[in-house]
Amino acid sequence: MSAGQIAALIAAGAFVVLVLLLAVPLLKLGRTLDEATVAIRKAHEGSAPLLDNAQTTLHQVNTQLERVDGITSSARTVTSNVSVLTSLFTATLGGPLVRAAAFTYGLNRAVKARRAGRDAGAHSLRTRPGRGRRRGSR
């Protein structure tokens, strides 16, 4: 054998060793891809019931939101009616009630002032201590 043939044999042997060394990681990568494929398939099979449940839940939530919208619009109507009723009450009865309250307050103050004046007058008619009777009453 010539030197060129020996070099070719050495190169071929090195190539075989290189292929064998690269085959191990490629086999491991193949197994990893197989496991990933199985995991994705299981996830896909398990996601269908989840999506169905999510769709049912969203349908129920939308139904509840429609009910809440109805309640909100009813509350808005009630609030508007109460506001109108309050302004009507204030316009029709508010003024007379304020006048009646002011009159009652003034009457109460006048009665208290009169009683206080009567009490003050009764106090001045009493005899003074140490004087005995009043003048002209002998």
Side-chain angles (χ1 to χ4, degrees):
M1 290 210 228
S2 70
Q5 290 176 340
I6 293 177
L9 281 175
I10 292 176
F15 185 73
V16 168
V17 169
L18 180 67
V19 167
L20 288 177
L21 289 176
L22 289 177
V24 173
L26 285 174
L27 289 174
K28 288 183 180 181
L29 180 64
R31 286 188 206 135
T32 303
L33 288 176
D34 289 340
E35 291 294 324
T37 304
V38 169
I40 290 172
R41 187 174 295 127
K42 286 181 182 178
H44 177 69
E45 290 170 359
S47 66
L50 287 176
L51 291 176
D52 290 340
N53 290 339
Q55 186 177 7
T56 304
T57 302
L58 284 175
H59 179 67
Q60 290 174 353
V61 166
N62 285 336
T63 303
Q64 295 298 325
L65 284 176
E66 288 173 5
R67 289 180 185 165
V68 168
D69 285 342
I71 292 169
T72 303
S73 69
S74 297
R76 187 179 311 120
T77 303
V78 168
T79 303
S80 175
N81 290 342
V82 167
S83 175
V84 168
L85 185 63
T86 302
S87 63
L88 178 67
F89 178 77
T90 302
T92 57
L93 297 177
L97 285 178
V98 169
R99 287 187 197 114
F103 175 75
T104 305
Y105 178 74
L107 186 63
N108 189 15
R109 295 284 292 186
V111 168
K112 284 184 181 179
R114 184 168 178 107
R115 285 183 187 161
R118 189 179 306 154
D119 290 344
H123 180 64
S124 64
L125 294 178
R126 291 186 192 154
T127 58
R128 294 183 189 162
R131 287 275 202 144
R133 290 188 250 164
R134 292 190 303 192
R135 276 194 219 177
S137 60
R138 286 194 188 179

